[in-house]
Amino acid sequence: MPVKKAQGPFPDGSGMASQNAENMPPRDAAVKEGAPEACGPVDDVDPLDVLPEGEELPDAESLSAEEQKILDTQISFHIGLDTEENEDVQRYFHYYTHVQRGTMTGWLKRAQLYLPHIRERFLAEGLPEDLIYLPFAESGFNPFAQSHAGACGVWQFMPRTAINYGLTVDKWVDERRDPYKSTEAAIAYLKKLYGDFGDWSLALAAYNAGEGAIGRALKKTGTEDFFSLCEASEDLKKETKLYVPKFLALVKVARNLEKLGFEPLNMDKRSAAPVMLKVKPETDLLALSQSVGMDWKSFRELNPSFRKQEAPPGRSVKVAVPGHLVAKAQDFLKRPVTPRQTRYASYRVKPGDTWWGISQKYNVSVAVLQQVNDVSRTKALKVGQALRIPGQGPASDSVADARKWASKRANYLVREGDTLWSIAKQFKTDPASLSQANGIQRSSVLRVGQKLYVPDAGSADVKVAKASADAVRTKLVNYKVQPGDSLWGIAKRFGVTPSDLLAWNNLAKNGHIRPGDRLKVYR
């Protein structure tokens, strides 16, 4: 018997947590050491990427004759449901074609990026074609979608299930976010579920609730099909009982887009495949993206698996780069690896917070805050949103180590008028990274002629600046001390500091100068 009115989908149509955690294998049997329970660290997840909790599903208004005809069409595999009698299917159909039409339109735009590939792989593996629309019910085809229960990605895998099906999930990489790798895992998992239950309705229910929950419910009720199980079981969650009706409605919509007034999907349209390049452990991915002229958001969309702006230590990984940028990327990857120096703290947005207020509190510019958090300048803050604050985390290296590192790799000579902020801006980094990379305080006064290490050494911008700085360095004035001169007076005349003069001329702090002495002064 069909399921009658239950309660319904998420207000933006987002999916629900798949593979309920209670039905997974024991933790220590499946999860790699250090593997997280959620899609990403708190400061790596935009609140908009988190799937909201369910709400009441409104009643469907009367459907047109054309819509009713669409609802009555069969799909590519037997489901055992008369949609004409099932109010939940009709309500979901109305919900996505009318109430949440804008949401459905956005989903279709994202789906176009991945569906041609998914369809090709499902058909090659002998799976029913209409299963390719399952991500509509799960994530709206958002690779970064995360449920409150910890399911993640286009296919909404829980961590243990993902690892069991060959995906890497750790604090550095989460391949549930990779639409292509996770599709292979979904194919294997769906095949396994169908092999377990011999019925696609039950297999889909198990995809949502976990095979353990469905197996126990079938045994307890003595039923053999999904709809009888829903009527007989008091243990199955409402969302699982609604899952198949919701999926059916979405399949009907997806197969009849033009008739329903949506832009049709083009299954022959393929996005240009990026080139996969091998990167060494600890490679600075943010610097890599900047070296090829990509902002972090665009790079992250091509490489959704990475949970940090650097490659993991101890192992090489591959990154996707657009074909026309491969030469620039290869040039960057030939350089010695310079691990990122920036450390981050997490901050939860409170009522009344503003970008400017937070920037003042942590002495970080609004532009840097927004860049680090991958948001546009016009994006408003939301209470509870997690922000990454650069330069606020506990130190992992001593100041002495940082200074030693910087002295060996110095690639920039400070010029008159330079500040940490101006140098950071010039090389598209942030003052916190620059100060930490050199083991100096943010408030430090730079000296003309001082050597600094700017991360991403070797980029075109740094090479130009270094050549310019070297030229400046050769403009040395050999000043002859005159009667009545003092270090302070000479420094003021040349726009430098007395400490600069002491350093350039190897003078003791309390050293004296005499008329006729020659002093080196860099201008």
Side-chain angles (χ1 to χ4, degrees):
M1 289 182 64
V3 184
K4 298 297 181 181
K5 282 189 181 180
Q7 303 306 327
F10 303 121
D12 69 347
S14 301
M16 293 163 275
S18 300
Q19 306 92 244
N20 194 317
E22 67 173 313
N23 304 305
M24 294 299 104
R27 178 186 176 94
D28 58 359
V31 183
K32 296 179 182 177
E33 183 179 355
E37 287 301 314
C39 185
V42 172
D43 59 0
D44 194 33
V45 179
D46 189 308
L48 297 179
D49 293 337
V50 178
L51 303 182
E53 300 292 350
E55 288 192 0
E56 298 290 322
L57 180 65
D59 289 336
E61 297 177 5
S62 298
L63 300 177
S64 68
E66 181 66 25
E67 289 173 330
Q68 193 62 57
K69 184 178 179 181
I70 289 171
L71 263 182
D72 293 341
T73 58
Q74 295 298 311
I75 65 173
S76 62
F77 57 92
H78 178 69
I79 208 74
L81 172 66
D82 185 344
T83 55
E84 192 172 322
E85 293 180 21
N86 191 282
E87 296 178 25
D88 288 321
V89 177
Q90 294 183 44
R91 290 194 302 149
Y92 273 110
F93 183 87
H94 177 267
Y95 189 76
Y96 291 119
T97 55
H98 295 277
V99 180
Q100 289 294 328
R101 188 177 183 88
T103 295
M104 191 72 202
T105 299
W107 287 359
L108 290 167
K109 185 177 180 180
R110 278 203 301 256
Q112 180 63 66
L113 299 173
Y114 311 118
L115 262 178
H117 172 81
I118 292 173
R119 179 177 182 269
E120 179 181 276
R121 291 296 302 125
F122 271 52
L123 293 180
E125 294 293 331
L127 289 170
E129 182 175 357
D130 286 326
L131 286 177
I132 67 174
Y133 301 119
L134 192 59
F136 280 126
E138 288 289 327
S139 65
F141 284 89
N142 179 4
F144 298 100
Q146 174 183 327
S147 78
H148 289 283
C152 184
V154 166
W155 294 98
Q156 286 293 282
F157 276 107
M158 293 292 286
R160 286 180 283 254
T161 308
I163 292 169
N164 285 345
Y165 284 87
L167 300 178
T168 298
V169 181
D170 59 31
K171 68 179 182 179
W172 294 93
V173 173
D174 190 340
E175 289 182 341
R176 295 177 296 169
R177 291 174 169 178
D178 186 318
Y180 303 98
K181 289 184 178 180
S182 63
T183 290
E184 298 307 309
I187 288 171
Y189 189 46
L190 286 167
K191 283 184 173 182
K192 188 263 185 189
L193 293 176
Y194 186 72
D196 286 347
F197 298 101
D199 176 272
W200 277 116
S201 297
L202 292 172
L204 289 170
Y207 191 92
N208 173 258
E211 54 264 50
I214 299 302
R216 289 192 297 272
L218 288 171
K219 184 176 181 180
K220 184 175 180 179
T221 61
T223 55
E224 296 182 351
D225 66 88
F226 173 75
F227 297 100
S228 297
L229 176 65
C230 289
E231 183 135 310
S233 177
E234 297 180 355
D235 297 326
L236 283 186
K237 293 182 179 180
K238 188 181 298 181
E239 68 180 48
T240 301
K241 294 181 179 182
L242 282 168
Y243 191 71
V244 173
K246 175 184 180 179
F247 169 72
L248 281 174
L250 285 164
V251 171
K252 308 280 185 172
V253 174
R255 292 185 61 187
N256 295 275
L257 294 173
E258 284 190 274
K259 293 179 181 178
L260 294 169
F262 291 101
E263 186 74 23
L265 292 164
N266 183 353
M267 293 298 182
D268 297 319
K269 182 180 178 181
R270 297 293 184 91
S271 301
V275 177
M276 303 304 295
L277 298 177
K278 185 178 181 180
V279 301
K280 299 173 184 176
E282 297 187 90
T283 294
D284 186 336
L285 300 179
L286 177 60
L288 170 59
S289 68
Q290 292 173 340
S291 74
V292 301
M294 295 179 70
D295 58 51
W296 178 250
K297 181 179 180 182
S298 300
F299 185 86
R300 183 174 181 249
E301 287 172 351
L302 267 184
N303 296 275
S305 294
F306 292 113
R307 295 171 60 171
K308 298 178 184 289
Q309 292 180 332
E310 59 187 311
R315 69 179 191 267
S316 297
V317 291
K318 290 187 176 181
V319 299
V321 177
H324 66 288
L325 298 177
V326 167
K328 289 184 178 180
Q330 289 175 329
D331 179 60
F332 176 88
L333 295 173
K334 290 175 184 177
R335 307 170 198 159
V337 173
T338 54
R340 286 182 60 79
Q341 297 293 318
T342 304
R343 296 178 295 272
Y344 297 92
S346 181
Y347 177 77
R348 284 282 180 189
V349 175
K350 301 172 184 176
D353 274 343
T354 63
W355 284 111
W356 185 86
I358 297 172
S359 75
Q360 293 300 299
K361 180 177 181 179
Y362 289 101
N363 197 27
V364 180
S365 73
V366 172
V368 167
L369 268 181
Q370 292 177 330
Q371 180 183 14
V372 165
N373 289 280
D374 303 325
V375 299
S376 67
R377 294 188 177 186
T378 58
K379 188 170 182 179
L381 291 169
K382 295 181 180 294
V383 174
Q385 180 178 351
L387 296 180
R388 304 173 80 199
I389 310 295
Q392 304 298 324
S396 57
D397 300 313
S398 70
V399 171
D401 286 343
R403 288 177 179 170
K404 184 177 179 181
W405 173 280
S407 66
K408 290 181 178 180
R409 295 162 177 79
N411 53 17
Y412 184 80
L413 194 71
V414 175
R415 293 169 287 182
E416 187 174 349
D418 276 344
T419 64
L420 277 175
W421 185 87
S422 67
I423 298 171
K425 183 179 180 182
Q426 181 180 353
F427 296 109
K428 299 177 182 177
T429 183
D430 56 86
S433 295
L434 198 56
S435 62
Q436 289 166 13
N438 289 276
I440 58 179
Q441 297 294 321
R442 288 281 300 276
S443 58
S444 297
V445 176
L446 301 180
R447 303 188 310 272
V448 175
Q450 181 179 349
K451 295 178 181 180
L452 293 180
Y453 166 61
V454 180
D456 187 22
S459 71
D461 286 344
V462 175
K463 286 178 180 177
V464 170
K466 188 174 187 303
S468 176
D470 288 342
V472 170
R473 189 177 182 182
T474 63
K475 296 176 183 177
L476 172 67
V477 175
N478 285 301
Y479 178 75
K480 183 178 180 179
V481 177
Q482 303 298 314
D485 274 345
S486 67
L487 283 174
W488 183 86
I490 297 170
K492 184 177 180 181
R493 181 184 305 173
F494 288 99
V496 297
T497 66
S499 59
D500 289 332
L501 292 177
L502 292 173
W504 295 333
N505 293 280
N506 296 318
L507 295 175
K509 191 171 183 180
N510 58 352
H512 297 285
I513 57 173
R514 298 175 179 83
D517 286 349
R518 292 283 181 174
L519 295 181
K520 296 177 182 178
V521 183
Y522 291 101
R523 300 188 63 182

